[in-house]
Amino acid sequence: MKKIIVTGGAGFIGSNFVHYVVNNHPDVHVTVLDKLTYAGNRENLAGLPEDRVKLVVGDITDAALVDELVSQTDAVVHYAAESHNDNSLKDPFPFVQTNLIGTYTLIEACRKHGVRYHHVSTDEVYGDLPLREDLPGHGEGAGEKFTPETAYNPSSPYSSTKAGSDLLVRAWVRSFDLQATISNCSNNYGPYQHIEKFIPRQITNILSGIRPKLYGEGKNVRDWIHTNDHSAAVWLILTKGKIGETYLIGADGEKDNKTVLELILELMGQPKDAYDQVKDRAGHDLRYAIDATKLREELGWQPEFTDFREGLADTIAWYTENKDWWQAEKSAVEESYRKNGQ
Ligand code: NAD
Ligand code: TDX
């Protein structure tokens, strides 16, 4: 695989994947196809060698552009999406357009040109799990995590469009022999994450003298994985995964939001209770947890960045050292949350 297209490669996880490929696979050329929405930033690709990474600014729903690019590549790794649950509750339309029509456009082109396709998705397609404290035996038994067999049950406009896009891919594999794999990953953290998201929002709040904002009581659990571990898993699935299969990616990083916020406060030298509780998210999923046995046993994947405290400290350092990357947007992001009571 010498030439790949990475859609959404100027966003958070996509740009981390491009850095990963450039650093680890010197014979691969990457074409990034990205619309540069509010969430995309060409700075995320700054410093990468121009002879190995090319940015095409364009929309994945543009069938002519997609067809032309796909006709010249060995594979497509599809990250581009509208990705924020809170935005999807305010205006679902761009989510339907990009996540469903965009995926349709890409898989049609890959089918026509016989190009390998990897679909990057989320654990949110499975809906949520009960909190462990509400389960008999505190949920340590079988069936208490998402597996590739868990039924789809998405809660938000965001997750329902991601679920729909996964189902399109599954149908294209079965009906048209599309050479595709799917991965569903848990919550990522690391550098280049937009400041609308939980962890960077709280770090940049503290750096800006604003009190962090916790939705409700902060009991909701997310299964955190460092974005570099996600990148390594996607590369492995792209190159060694079995066509038609779904792989779940997660690093056993379950933590409730209050615990994560308290750790950020501690690492940034703030009192443990220096935050505000704000209005909860509508339809807020309670808990996500991934069982990554298939990925570990079939493809031999193992996460490397499993010390969450250390990963979070590095992430805090990145936002502290890269204020120019986020400062211009900060007040508008907070104003939009404030209007929503959050
Ligand atoms: P992001 O919002 O940071 O980046 C999305 C990128 O897609 C941006 O660069 C944006 O400009 C681009 N984009 C949006 N619409 C486009 C369009 N119509 N055409 C071309 N480019 C477009 O998102 P992220 O957090 O990096 O997520 C990337 C992918 O990973 C998504 O598919 C998401 O569902 C999935 N995912 C995210 C997480 C997470 O924790 N953030 C976890 C699991 C899966
Ligand atoms: O200010 C906040 N306060 C707060 O308590 C924000 C922005 C969020 N939260 C809570 C809501 C969630 O329980 O923190 C948790 C994480 O929130 P987000 O960062 O918005 O992530 P989430 O909704 O879990 O979705 C993320 O992981 C799965 C990504 O945004 C999705 O793209 C991915 O599919």
Side-chain angles (χ1 to χ4, degrees):
M1 218 165 275
K2 299 284 179 229
K3 288 182 287 180
I4 63 171
I5 293 172
V6 177
T7 71
F12 162 45
I13 307 181
S15 66
N16 276 289
F17 179 73
V18 175
H19 284 268
Y20 173 85
V21 172
V22 168
N23 292 335
N24 292 283
H25 301 285
D27 49 342
V28 177
H29 183 275
V30 180
T31 299
V32 170
L33 172 58
D34 198 296
K35 190 178 170 182
L36 298 183
T37 66
Y38 79 96
N41 188 341
R42 57 172 82 240
E43 284 303 310
N44 297 4
L45 302 169
L48 292 173
E50 279 174 27
D51 59 334
R52 299 206 33 219
V53 180
K54 178 179 160 201
L55 171 63
V56 176
V57 179
D59 196 316
I60 55 165
T61 65
D62 179 342
L65 173 65
V66 166
D67 187 78
E68 187 200 328
L69 293 174
V70 170
S71 72
Q72 302 162 23
T73 196
D74 300 324
V76 172
V77 186
H78 176 36
Y79 286 93
E82 286 293 337
S83 69
H84 193 35
N85 277 299
D86 291 322
N87 293 345
S88 81
L89 295 164
K90 282 199 256 177
D91 180 12
F93 181 70
F95 290 75
V96 172
Q97 184 71 10
T98 287
N99 300 356
L100 287 168
I101 306 294
T103 298
Y104 161 78
T105 308
L106 289 163
I107 57 179
E108 274 294 83
C110 288
R111 149 160 105 110
K112 180 174 159 195
H113 297 289
V115 162
R116 175 80 172 83
Y117 174 85
H118 180 70
H119 187 71
V120 176
S121 192
T122 169
D123 57 1
E124 297 192 18
V125 300
Y126 299 113
D128 61 357
L129 298 159
L131 295 178
R132 286 189 184 276
E133 66 200 47
D134 296 333
L135 286 166
H138 296 294
E140 295 303 330
E144 305 304 350
K145 293 186 171 195
F146 298 135
T147 73
E149 284 72 45
T150 304
Y152 274 36
N153 188 25
S155 313
S156 75
Y158 161 68
S159 53
S160 61
T161 57
K162 290 297 292 187
S165 71
D166 293 10
L167 297 181
L168 291 177
V169 177
R170 288 184 182 197
W172 261 239
V173 169
R174 172 146 179 173
S175 301
F176 304 127
D177 219 13
L178 182 73
Q179 298 295 290
T181 41
I182 298 176
S183 56
N184 297 82
C185 188
S186 60
N187 283 59
N188 284 219
Y189 75 100
Y192 302 112
Q193 187 168 28
H194 195 275
I195 56 167
E196 67 190 354
K197 303 287 180 8
F198 178 56
I199 287 178
R201 183 181 182 205
Q202 314 315 335
I203 295 170
T204 56
N205 274 354
I206 295 168
L207 292 172
S208 309
I210 300 168
R211 281 166 72 86
K213 305 287 185 263
L214 187 67
Y215 292 175
E217 290 179 39
K219 283 186 164 186
N220 306 61
V221 172
R222 296 295 180 262
D223 187 356
W224 293 100
I225 180 172
H226 194 279
T227 192
N228 288 351
D229 283 329
H230 186 185
S231 294
V234 167
W235 181 262
L236 196 59
I237 297 165
L238 177 70
T239 52
K240 306 248 164 57
K242 206 169 140 206
I243 298 302
E245 294 291 309
T246 288
Y247 297 88
L248 267 54
I249 308 173
D252 300 320
E254 278 183 71
K255 275 169 199 59
D256 67 58
N257 294 339
K258 185 163 176 275
T259 301
V260 173
L261 179 53
E262 285 175 353
L263 185 54
I264 294 172
L265 286 160
E266 184 202 322
L267 290 168
M268 296 183 74
Q270 304 289 312
K272 208 176 165 183
D273 59 352
Y275 63 86
D276 298 330
Q277 281 187 348
V278 294
K279 194 176 86 181
D280 209 348
R281 174 182 284 170
H284 197 172
D285 280 341
L286 283 174
R287 180 168 73 92
Y288 305 138
I290 289 274
D291 177 345
T293 305
K294 178 174 169 180
L295 180 66
R296 287 176 185 262
E297 291 186 354
E298 288 183 17
L299 300 185
W301 176 80
Q302 275 193 349
E304 276 181 44
F305 300 84
T306 46
D307 185 334
F308 185 68
R309 190 186 173 91
E310 191 182 309
L312 200 54
D314 288 347
T315 305
I316 291 168
W318 190 86
Y319 284 91
T320 308
E321 285 157 19
N322 290 281
K323 292 203 176 80
D324 288 350
W325 186 85
W326 56 267
Q327 239 167 3
E329 274 179 293
K330 183 66 185 168
S331 55
V333 171
E334 286 309 306
E335 178 57 14
S336 160
Y337 272 123
R338 197 191 58 75
K339 279 190 189 144
N340 216 32
Q342 294 177 316

